[in-house]
Amino acid sequence: AAPDQMEMSLADCWGPAPASPIGFEGYEKRLEITFSDAPVFADPCGRGLRALSRHQIDSFLDLARCTIVSQLSNKQFDSYVLSESSLFVYSHKVVIKTCGTTKLLLSIPRILELAAELSLPLLSAKYSRGAFIFPGAQPAPHRSFSEEVSVLNGFFGGLKSGGNAYVMGDAFRPKKMWHVYYATEEPEQPMVTLEMCMTGLDAGKAAVFFKNSADGGCSSAKEMTKVSGISAIIPEMEICDFDFDPCGYSMNGVCGPAASTIHVTPEEGFSYASYEAMNFNPGSLVYSDLIKRVLSCFRPSDFSLAVTIFGGQGFAKSWAADAEVCSYLLEDVVEQELPGGGLLMYQSFSAVAPGAVSPRSTLDDGWSSDGMETAVQGEETCVWGVEKKVAEKGVAA
């Protein structure tokens, strides 16, 4: 079928998104599609996807059920804050994150059509998300990971690596599972991406993201950025921020080729915040320090980290190996090799009570009875020693 016919058939088949009677879904769906160079005669200026007009960009965002609310660009890429999360457009890469009940995968045929018009050959595709807070409210084609993988394989399964789907995390903690799909034609250029998902935000920290709240809210996005501490996470970032009524917050940060983004759903009972940094030089940031600065903005009860590394795993892998975050228990560590020499490292954490040690510990020499090292520093506890696992390849419903 022609791309426009496919768009209509997918949308018609899966219909409108159901409304959640419970709360807003904070967990984002993230899609990254990368292309190779166009022939010189087809793109003499090398603009690639950045040559797309606003109308063309809107044409695929409409299919995903989201709109642009703000924009910030530099010489390397264009960033857009969306009504539901963010969009980043590089010359050879597009990254879309959408939350709520958006239909992100429905945007794929239009993106591929626009890239083909620019003579950009498809190189790779990566899709990732956590476990939805309200999975029953998700519309097709996002009702299950297997459904998503089926759609992704229809577009990207023909790449040289074939489609590869992974479910990472502890099966006994289904709310902390990480879902990844990846397909590629050849090894990618060096790049590190950090995805961080946080739930159970501290009530005082969450209050900052309510407009004109008597409990410490702010009157503008700029004030939220400053008061929350977001502006200090990577101070070099130029920030484009946006606040929602009556609550909620989004921002994109740009610095050279590097991008960051934050999205906050502050409502009690389903509070959520996400942080992402990509295309940065890992030598310029200390991993643990970066994580701690993000955590200080939100103080979540639980959080996860997913670090994807392409183009050489040496220093980047050691950079992301240990978070060692005080006041949190490292519950799970999974490493998964990706086709083309990529690596994905996933970690999940839960808060521990101040001054607490392992409940099974009967030793006083700094080691618990199950082999976990605990280090008590004043009111904070650090717990290490979770055994690393390799993700099982497959598809879960």
Side-chain angles (χ1 to χ4, degrees):
D4 57 344
Q5 293 174 322
M6 186 174 295
E7 291 162 15
M8 290 185 64
S9 62
L10 290 177
D12 292 344
C13 176
W14 285 323
S20 171
I22 308 169
F24 185 79
E25 178 60 65
Y27 271 98
E28 297 96 350
K29 317 165 184 85
R30 182 186 188 275
L31 177 65
E32 177 178 329
I33 307 178
T34 305
F35 300 89
S36 300
D37 289 333
V40 175
F41 66 84
D43 186 14
C45 296
R47 286 184 53 77
L49 296 168
R50 298 190 72 187
L52 294 175
S53 67
R54 172 64 180 268
H55 175 73
Q56 289 172 314
I57 292 173
D58 286 340
S59 71
F60 65 78
L61 292 178
D62 288 345
L63 296 169
R65 306 297 193 269
C66 54
T67 58
I68 294 171
V69 297
S70 188
Q71 176 184 356
L72 177 63
S73 299
N74 65 11
K75 292 182 179 180
Q76 281 77 24
F77 67 100
D78 305 306
S79 74
Y80 303 87
V81 176
L82 306 179
S83 54
E84 284 83 10
S85 300
S86 290
L87 164 68
F88 300 92
V89 180
Y90 291 80
S91 60
H92 294 81
K93 185 189 298 286
V94 59
V95 180
I96 315 178
K97 296 183 74 166
T98 64
C99 54
T101 55
T102 50
K103 300 182 177 185
L104 176 57
L105 298 187
L106 296 189
S107 67
I108 295 174
R110 180 58 177 154
I111 294 172
L112 297 181
E113 178 185 48
L114 291 169
E117 292 174 0
L118 296 169
S119 301
L120 295 170
L122 178 63
L123 174 64
S124 68
K126 178 175 175 280
Y127 175 77
S128 60
R129 66 168 175 84
F132 295 125
I133 300 173
F134 307 112
Q138 287 299 312
H142 297 282
R143 295 172 297 189
S144 69
F145 188 48
S146 58
E147 183 177 61
E148 292 170 320
V149 169
S150 177
V151 172
L152 289 161
N153 270 334
F155 295 108
F156 309 115
L159 292 174
K160 189 174 294 184
S161 71
N164 299 267
Y166 310 93
V167 179
M168 308 174 71
D170 189 337
F172 292 101
R173 299 186 180 97
K175 289 294 185 182
K176 294 192 174 183
M177 305 295 281
W178 189 248
H179 306 76
V180 179
Y181 174 92
Y182 183 66
T184 188
E185 188 68 17
E186 59 186 55
E188 295 199 48
Q189 295 297 310
M191 182 171 176
V192 178
T193 301
L194 165 66
E195 297 173 74
M196 186 172 180
C197 300
M198 297 162 278
T199 57
L201 309 186
D202 173 82
K205 296 291 185 179
V208 171
F209 303 99
F210 284 82
K211 293 184 71 174
N212 303 313
S213 167
D215 298 323
C218 296
S219 59
S220 68
K222 183 174 292 188
E223 186 180 358
M224 292 175 183
T225 300
K226 182 177 180 180
V227 172
S228 66
I230 287 172
S231 58
I233 295 175
I234 303 180
E236 297 81 6
M237 287 279 182
E238 181 182 359
I239 290 176
C240 174
D241 43 27
F242 192 87
D243 59 86
F244 297 87
D245 286 318
C247 63
Y249 169 92
S250 289
M251 76 74 125
N252 290 338
V254 305
C255 182
S260 66
T261 184
I262 290 176
H263 304 284
V264 185
T265 300
E267 292 97 324
E268 185 177 358
F270 50 94
S271 62
Y272 171 85
S274 67
Y275 175 80
E276 177 178 338
M278 65 174 173
N279 224 17
F280 58 91
N281 174 13
S284 66
L285 295 170
V286 177
Y287 184 56
S288 289
D289 291 347
L290 176 61
I291 301 308
K292 290 172 184 176
R293 287 196 291 269
V294 176
L295 291 174
S296 69
C297 298
F298 304 105
R299 292 182 189 164
S301 61
D302 299 271
F303 72 96
S304 66
L305 301 169
V307 180
T308 306
I309 302 164
F310 289 113
Q313 301 174 7
F315 174 74
K317 180 177 178 180
S318 63
W319 175 84
D322 297 300
E324 299 184 358
V325 182
C326 291
S327 298
Y328 288 88
L329 168 67
L330 174 58
E331 295 181 323
D332 205 10
V333 181
V334 187
E335 291 186 7
Q336 175 61 54
E337 292 187 359
L338 300 175
L343 178 70
L344 175 59
M345 303 177 67
Y346 175 73
Q347 302 168 308
S348 64
F349 297 79
S350 286
V352 294
V357 296
S358 169
R360 289 190 284 168
S361 176
T362 57
L363 306 177
D364 58 2
D365 60 356
W367 291 85
S368 64
S369 59
D370 58 355
M372 287 187 176
E373 182 182 3
T374 63
V376 180
Q377 303 172 351
E379 292 297 326
E380 296 184 321
T381 301
C382 304
V383 186
W384 299 281
V386 176
E387 182 180 359
K388 290 184 179 179
K389 298 179 291 184
V390 176
E392 293 188 10
K393 182 177 178 181
V395 178

